[in-house]
Amino acid sequence: MSAKIISGKEVSAQVRKGLKKEVDALKSQDPNFRPGLVVLQVGNREDSNLYISMKLKAASEIGINAIHKRLPQTATEDEVLQSIREVNENSSVHGFIVQLPLDSIHRIDTEKVTNAVAPEKDVDGLTSINAGKLARGDLGDCFIPCTPNGCMELIRQTGVPVAGKTAVVIGRSKIVGAPMHDLLLWNHATVTTCHSKTTDLASEVGRADILVTGIGKPEFVKGEWVKKGAIVIDCGINHVPDSTKPSGKRVVGDVAFTSAKEQAAFITPVPGGVGPMTVAMLMQNTVLSAKRFLQAHQPGKWNMIYTKLNLKRPVPSDIDISRSCVPKCIDRLAREIGLLSNEVELYGKTKAKVHLEAIDRLRIQPDGKYVVVTGITPTPLGEGKSTTTIGLVQALGAHLNNNVFACVRQPSQGPTFGIKGGAAGGGYSQVIPMEEFNLHLTGDIHAITAANNLVAAAIDARIFHEATQSDKALFNRLVPLSGGHRTFSPVQINRLKKLGIEKSDPSTLTEEEITRFARLDIDPESITWQRVLDTNDRFLRKITIGQSPTEKGYTRTAQFDITVASEIMAVLALTSSLEDMKHRLAKMVVATSRNGEPVTTEDLGVCGALTVLMRDAIKPNLMQTLEGNPVFVHAGPFANIAHGNSSILADKIALKLVGPEGFVVTEAGFGADIGMEKFFNIKCRYSGLRPHVVVLVATVRALKMHGGGPSVSGITYLIIFQNLELVEKGFCNLRKQVENTKHFGVPVVVAVNAFKTDTEAELQLICKLAKEAGAFDAVQCTHWADGGAGAVELGKAVQKAAEAPSNFRFLYDTELPVVDKIRIIAQKIYGADEIELLPEAQHKVHLYTKQGFGNLPICMAKTHLSLSHDAEKKGAPTGFVLPVRDIRASVGAGFLYPLVGTVSLLKKSHFKVCSPGEILEKNAGGSEKNTVTHLP
């Protein structure tokens, strides 16, 4: 009786059908996900082209995104290896095969090339790592080569169990024979491998219950050798002459099919047997690789290894602590938190930038819980918000086993080299390395400096050229000849549309249209854009520019601001994508024309260049805490004229990475009346994110000051004696800040940052009063001295508060008139009775409303040392009128900022000459103590 034919075509069709269902299921979980396969070919061999086309067709039918990457015959080994590295780093590719043979005019080491493929993408199963795992029997942790895998599937189709059978494999190639031996062995067959040196091959074949051949010799195995009832799997593909065929030849296997089928119970034909299964198994391995990738990169599935602190007493200086800790390599931390290698751009061993593609990959995943750390009205030394932020993150992660991310601002070099020092936290709750955190980082602030000063240069250059040239000459400079033709750039087309000129051909503009297009007619007195420098240089507070003879007497008085006060910094912090940043940069208003129209960076034609300068700065910076938690350090807007919060992008990426049960802890600058109010009304309004918990930091020394005690200033004065009456009297400030938090409907946990001079009675009193005032909870913290262990109770309170009902709401509707929005903030947050707009402020309200900016959120610029406009009024003052002397517009960032009271944009900073060690040592935990908007 003839053997039953095992059709590889039929079995492979069933396999492909099942794979298509699996791919469809993956897509239903994530519509943007597709398994990816790359086939790398060197040269242009016809047989290779045929095999590749079969693979691409099968991939397309199943739903795999397959790419054929071809290198020329002239490709060198180094070029091939470089291409392999690029594919290895591409997270959208899950399967990667190098088509053999390599058809190059140069000598290429095939073994080296094969082993260069990442083992986790080696769907051909040819790397030494996968081969080794197969040899050891680790079948669930490797890729099985496609042809042997297909053979096993065909054997399974017979229904004959492999276990206990005698199997013979003829051939010992790395692609078929050797892995086939291992596969049969680990499926519990007794296996013999035969080869060219085997004596009495017929006898060996005659003992085989299962015979697999792969020697490449046409019909070498005779039918009479085959054991009666055996399973014969023929992997051979050989050509023999056949005059009846148009090609003059036909394909046969290694086994004499006609005679063998009379002996065997099951046999595969050639062609149509093993061949189709090889392609099907390649697709199966690719889908398996994609599923392993998804399993390994589940959002929120972290594999963190925390750094154990070696606490010392007395607590050493901040910089000594920072330098005593060896941070994890940042690429390792990135892997631990689920970032892919192609999403991380390393800047040395301890910091990296994270690409925005991470948001795209994770966008359908649920966010984690969002926590903002703020504080009471601080003393000049600050109350430790940064330290509390880092301590809380260390507690939630290393001690309470949550996925948790800190998101903080990058400090300015100005205050870092001033009396304040850096902003990395302090004690055993720091971001490390401190020097890299505080100095330069990855150059974001320098990029902002360059972009800001490009705008300043463009403003003055435009004024100069408009003053010294005719309309026609100016137009010809703006739209120069290129190849005999003038062409408008896209930004110039936008300007024409803004002017109501619907033309795209420069030659069709009338003289009147040329004048309107070419002249911005900037009023020099209206220029609000200043040059910047990230250093406290008091002699640049006011300067005269244009003194060179080449400027022909066109001078004006100007000033330098500190870089972090630039609107570009606020834009960076509030942007949601590269395209959004480009749009915001284009909208920035730098001056007003003589007829009252706003002049933007797009009018100047520099918005595209600004985006290019900021293309790297938009990527958040990844660092770590002392205990090994991840930290995003991104953007550093001051909390007086800007909103005082780190970037939206950093928060969004972090919220996706931590997963729905994780936490993202960010910090808002100054007290709750400033940074937190802007966090809610500005940052959350633009981000669409909704916070779960507010952590409000308080200290005994600050409440004593608010209760009428002496001002805590300098670095020597401490209120060291117990005074419960003073604490209770000063509690009015904390009560008001709790009330401010409740305006937004978010639970608040009070963190009492304990100092060694505080008494237990004082700390307990604050906690008791805070709970009575409506705080969800109030706990003592010692994270400065004890690291995360000192904030465990705070972490537990935050966890509970995050589960409590939250009814987040904004304080005001942006559609309200400007004056009404200012009044709501003054009355509800500051405790004022009324506001008073001075004449300049009244003029600006009218101007900005007329220009279409009246519906922007409000960003109040006032002192951080009091709830009122007067820094000397401590506690919770009431019954005052809040004076607004001026209003400025940051249209690109997206807010108006009223200047309140005597707050000065040119306020002098405290400054002294320090050694680098002293500078980096002075971290008291706050972010803006004694800092200024503009240079001192």
Side-chain angles (χ1 to χ4, degrees), residues 386 408-409 411 416 420-425 431 437-438 667 922-923 925-927:
S386 299
V408 299
R409 286 173 293 165
T416 295
K420 172 193 172 286
V431 181
F437 176 89
N438 285 317
E667 177 196 349
K922 296 176 301 188
N923 289 282
S927 288

Side-chain angles (χ1 to χ4, degrees), residues 462 466 470-476 478 495-496 499 509 512-521 603:
R462 189 59 173 263
E466 288 190 23
S470 67
D471 294 351
K472 191 65 175 176
L474 190 60
F475 180 80
N476 290 343
L478 291 169
R495 172 153 173 78
L496 289 168
L499 295 171
L509 265 63
E512 186 266 340
E513 288 171 340
I514 286 175
T515 300
R516 291 175 60 208
F517 168 79
R519 294 198 175 276
L520 300 179
D521 199 22
D603 294 326

Side-chain angles (χ1 to χ4, degrees), residues 246-496:
S247 63
K249 56 186 177 180
R250 62 187 171 89
V251 178
V252 298
D254 294 339
V255 178
F257 180 79
T258 303
S259 56
K261 74 176 182 179
E262 300 302 324
Q263 292 288 104
F266 300 92
I267 191 169
T268 58
V270 178
V274 174
M277 291 301 298
T278 298
V279 176
M281 293 300 102
L282 174 64
M283 300 301 115
Q284 180 171 282
N285 278 351
T286 301
V287 174
L288 174 61
S289 180
K291 292 166 74 175
R292 286 176 179 173
F293 173 86
L294 289 177
Q295 181 67 26
H297 295 90
Q298 291 180 18
K301 184 180 179 181
W302 288 12
N303 185 27
M304 291 290 294
I305 298 176
Y306 294 104
T307 305
K308 189 172 182 180
L309 295 177
N310 180 23
L311 302 178
K312 294 182 179 180
R313 296 293 184 269
V315 177
S317 69
D318 293 346
I319 197 165
D320 285 342
I321 293 172
S322 175
R323 288 175 175 172
S324 70
C325 178
V326 179
K328 293 184 280 190
C329 286
I330 202 68
D331 57 338
R332 172 183 156 190
L333 176 62
R335 290 193 300 272
E336 288 178 347
I337 61 177
L339 286 167
L340 307 181
S341 58
N342 62 304
E343 293 170 344
V344 179
E345 187 177 331
L346 301 180
Y347 279 65
K349 295 183 178 181
T350 56
K351 55 186 184 291
K353 279 193 167 292
V354 175
H355 291 211
L356 304 190
E357 285 80 359
I359 293 180
D360 296 331
R361 175 172 65 89
L362 300 168
R363 61 182 170 274
I364 71 166
Q365 305 301 332
D367 289 342
K369 296 174 176 62
Y370 199 22
V371 180
V372 59
V373 177
T374 185
I376 62 173
T377 304
T379 67
L381 297 182
E383 309 321 304
K385 292 193 310 300
S386 299
T387 308
T388 302
T389 298
I390 303 305
L392 173 58
V393 165
Q394 292 180 160
L396 285 168
H399 300 271
L400 296 174
N401 300 313
N402 295 286
N403 293 346
V404 58
F405 230 114
C407 291
V408 299
R409 286 173 293 165
Q410 178 184 355
S412 164
Q413 182 177 291
T416 295
F417 282 97
I419 198 169
K420 172 193 172 286
Y428 286 104
S429 294
Q430 294 186 53
V431 181
I432 58 170
M434 181 197 290
E435 295 99 322
E436 295 186 25
F437 176 89
N438 285 317
L439 303 176
H440 301 297
L441 197 59
T442 57
D444 294 351
I445 290 180
H446 302 315
I448 292 168
T449 302
N452 185 100
N453 292 343
L454 175 66
V455 176
I459 294 169
D460 289 306
R462 189 59 173 263
I463 292 173
F464 174 80
H465 287 302
E466 288 190 23
T468 58
Q469 296 182 49
S470 67
D471 294 351
K472 191 65 175 176
L474 190 60
F475 180 80
N476 290 343
R477 278 178 173 267
L478 291 169
V479 193
L481 280 172
S482 178
H485 300 283
R486 299 187 192 278
T487 305
F488 288 127
S489 66
V491 72
Q492 290 174 332
I493 293 291
N494 289 343
R495 172 153 173 78
L496 289 168

Side-chain angles (χ1 to χ4, degrees), residues 3-19:
K4 183 176 180 180
I5 307 300
I6 312 172
S7 172
K9 291 182 179 179
E10 293 179 4
V11 177
S12 68
Q14 295 171 8
V15 171
R16 293 185 192 186
K17 186 177 180 180
L19 291 175

Side-chain angles (χ1 to χ4, degrees), residues 125 128-139 142-145 148-149 152 162 167 169 171-193:
S128 297
I129 290 177
N130 278 316
K133 288 182 176 181
L134 175 59
R136 290 172 49 181
D138 298 333
L139 304 189
C142 70
F143 286 112
I144 300 169
N149 206 9
M152 284 302 300
V162 175
V169 178
R172 53 184 173 181
S173 72
K174 295 178 182 178
I175 296 177
V176 180
M180 192 72 231
H181 173 280
D182 295 333
L183 200 51
L184 286 164
L185 179 66
W186 293 111
N187 277 274
H188 311 297
T190 302
V191 189
T192 300
T193 296

